Structure formats: C-alpha cells, structure tokens
Amino acid sequence: MSDGRPIALFDSGVGGLSVWRAVRELLPQEALVYLGDTAHIPYGRRSHAEIESFAHEIVRFFVEELDAKAVVVACNTASAASLQSLRARYTVPIVGMEPAVKPAAERTRRRRVGVIATQATIQATVFARLVERFANGVEVWTQACPGLVEAVEEGRLEDAGTIALLREYLSPMLEAGIDELVLGCTHYPFLMPALRQVVGPDVDIIDPAPAVARQVGRVLDMYGLRAGPGSLENTRFFCTGDVHRFRQTAERLVGPIDEVRQLVW
Ligand code: DGL
C-alpha cells in the first residue's frame, strides 16, 4: 500500500536544502515539506534548551497540522540539541544528523580528520560521545565556524570575506595534515567551491546529504511508508521569517522553488 503523506524536513534556514535536494533526487515520488526557521537563525549560537523548544514546535506542526509520515531534522545543531527528546515525544520516525566522524575515521590514510560545525554542535555532549565512540585512535580536529551560516544565507558563497574566514578556520587542521574534512553543518555543502579552493585537491570533503537521503529511504521501507510509483510530488515550503528573502536565497542555491508560505507561531 502506498502512503502519500509528506516527509517533512526542517533547518534553521536554507542549509537543510542540501539534504532536501538529496532526498528529492533519491525519492522523487515522495511529497515533501521543507521549513526554514529563519526567525530564529542562527541556531548555532543559541542554547540547547532554546533550540530544543523550536524543534519541538516545528515537529508538532509537522505531525499535528501536516500529518507528516516521517521527519528529517536537516540540521546538525537541532539534531544535537533535540533528537533524543523529539524521539521520546513523537511516534513518527525521525531521521537526524550527526557529523560523519565514523566514515571519515574509516577512510583517512593519514589518521587525521577535521570536523567543522556550529558552536552548539561542537559543544554538544552527543558530539563528544560520537568522537569517543568512532575516532578509533584517529586524531580529530574540530573547529566551530561562526559566520559561515550567515555567508550562505546571504549568498556570499565565494567572496573574499568567506574565503578568508575559511582559511582562518581550516589552516590549523590543514597544517596538522588532515586528509578528510567532515561538513558538520548542512549549510556548508553550499560552500563546496570555496572549500575546495581552500583545502586543495588532496583533502576528501564529506557532505553527509546522500547518506541521510539513503537513511530516509531505509526508514520508509522499515515502516512501510513509501509513496506509490505513480505519484511525482512537489515540495511545500514554509519559513518563519521573511518569505521573499527565503525564496531568493533558496533559489540562488537550488534553482526555482514553489511558493513559500510564512508561518507565525
Ligand atoms: N544548518 C544548521 C546545522 O546543520 C546550522 C545553522 C545555524 O547555526 O542556524 O547545524
């Protein structure tokens, strides 16, 4: 039996569109919802309690008002702060994100990996546990990167200021000899050309979006939630801040999107 209810994704802003893009590509027949909580961006500088309360409000909206069949927390920061309590409260399957330390530690030849993420993710207990569990003797360099989320939101993807910020954040780990760089924030894949320019050709950059999309597919199978093969669905977009601005930034990153509706809590 097919299930036409939507899969609902959220992030603080446009960053989660890197995950949305991968989900749409892998599961084109699924109806999707994307919400950017732009009234509260950036999450990365906020307390875990605050981020958790935003996440609960959003998932309540997804489940109670949109009848979502699955939720994707397309934000590392919100996942670190709220995944556990969201799963405790809701029965709907919830796919979250965590920096890809495990695959990086498995792949590195020099036994040195770098992780970049927001301040709130780097400081999270779940992140410390992840490193403890999966580093396996590999040296893990971590760096919080304030300013990068804003650069993506403002469409400054490759300008001199963004490149300078990346050089400042990445130089210590590059000098230490990392050969794997984990993008621990969903905004960062949109900086790929700038990142490549700064890290050079020899460092492998891990964008977790395709792996998250595959996980969404596995979850749909596990719960018998796949949409039928006949339906080719679009995405309904929402944001909590300025609709015009959200649409403009989103379209710069992923091309034309449908109408964006504003949500006021
Ligand atoms: N895109 C979010 C993440 O993956 C963070 C954005 C923010 O700081 O608001 O962590």
Side-chain angles (χ1 to χ4, degrees):
M1 222 184 64
S2 86
D3 190 330
R5 293 177 301 153
I7 302 169
L9 301 86
F10 78 94
D11 177 46
S12 57
V14 292
L17 290 171
S18 59
V19 178
W20 166 81
R21 187 169 58 182
V23 171
R24 196 188 50 165
E25 210 175 287
L26 188 74
L27 306 165
Q29 65 278 39
E30 297 293 336
L32 303 178
V33 167
Y34 183 90
L35 185 149
D37 189 13
T38 45
H40 299 125
I41 196 167
Y43 279 2
R45 299 185 195 200
R46 293 180 181 273
S47 72
H48 280 199
E50 237 181 334
I51 301 164
E52 195 176 19
S53 84
F54 300 147
H56 275 262
E57 189 61 27
I58 293 167
V59 175
R60 188 204 59 74
F61 169 70
F62 284 166
V63 172
E64 290 178 12
E65 295 182 40
L66 303 181
D67 194 22
K69 65 179 176 185
V71 169
V72 182
V73 184
C75 173
N76 291 79
T77 310
S79 296
S82 66
L83 206 50
Q84 222 180 339
S85 64
L86 287 173
R87 284 183 174 146
R89 168 145 356 147
Y90 294 98
T91 50
V92 67
I94 302 177
V95 175
M97 307 199 58
E98 59 183 23
V101 173
K102 187 174 180 231
E106 284 166 0
R107 279 188 223 168
T108 177
R109 289 152 317 198
R110 295 197 201 138
R111 304 198 52 77
R112 287 189 196 120
V113 311
V115 180
I116 53 173
T118 67
Q119 218 154 340
T121 299
I122 297 284
Q123 285 166 356
T125 328
V126 284
F127 178 64
R129 273 202 226 112
L130 184 76
V131 173
E132 237 171 66
R133 197 159 152 223
F134 294 118
N136 232 337
V138 163
E139 212 174 307
V140 180
W141 285 74
T142 59
Q143 177 67 53
C145 302
L148 292 187
V149 164
E150 290 84 342
V152 174
E153 290 288 327
E154 288 158 21
R156 292 183 282 105
L157 304 181
E158 264 184 284
D159 74 357
T162 303
I163 300 276
L165 211 51
L166 284 174
R167 280 198 207 291
E168 182 191 324
Y169 291 143
L170 296 173
S171 293
M173 57 176 82
L174 291 172
E175 278 158 27
I178 61 152
D179 59 359
E180 297 286 334
L181 176 65
V182 174
L183 305 186
C185 167
T186 54
H187 279 74
Y188 301 168
F190 292 115
L191 296 171
M192 202 55 104
L195 280 161
R196 185 50 74 202
Q197 205 176 313
V198 171
V199 305
D202 298 330
V203 173
D204 186 27
I205 303 176
I206 305 183
D207 168 7
V212 174
R214 287 194 297 275
Q215 178 61 12
V216 175
R218 278 193 291 271
V219 165
L220 294 184
D221 289 338
M222 213 185 311
Y223 289 83
L225 294 173
R226 287 235 183 207
S231 47
L232 256 186
E233 291 292 347
N234 289 325
T235 303
R236 272 181 289 164
F237 289 94
F238 295 90
C239 76
T240 55
D242 186 282
V243 172
H244 182 69
R245 203 177 145 197
F246 178 88
R247 187 179 190 146
Q248 217 175 22
T249 315
E251 292 198 328
R252 208 180 295 148
L253 301 175
V254 297
I257 61 169
D258 286 339
E259 183 203 346
V260 181
R261 266 164 284 187
Q262 192 182 25
L263 272 184
V264 185
W265 302 118

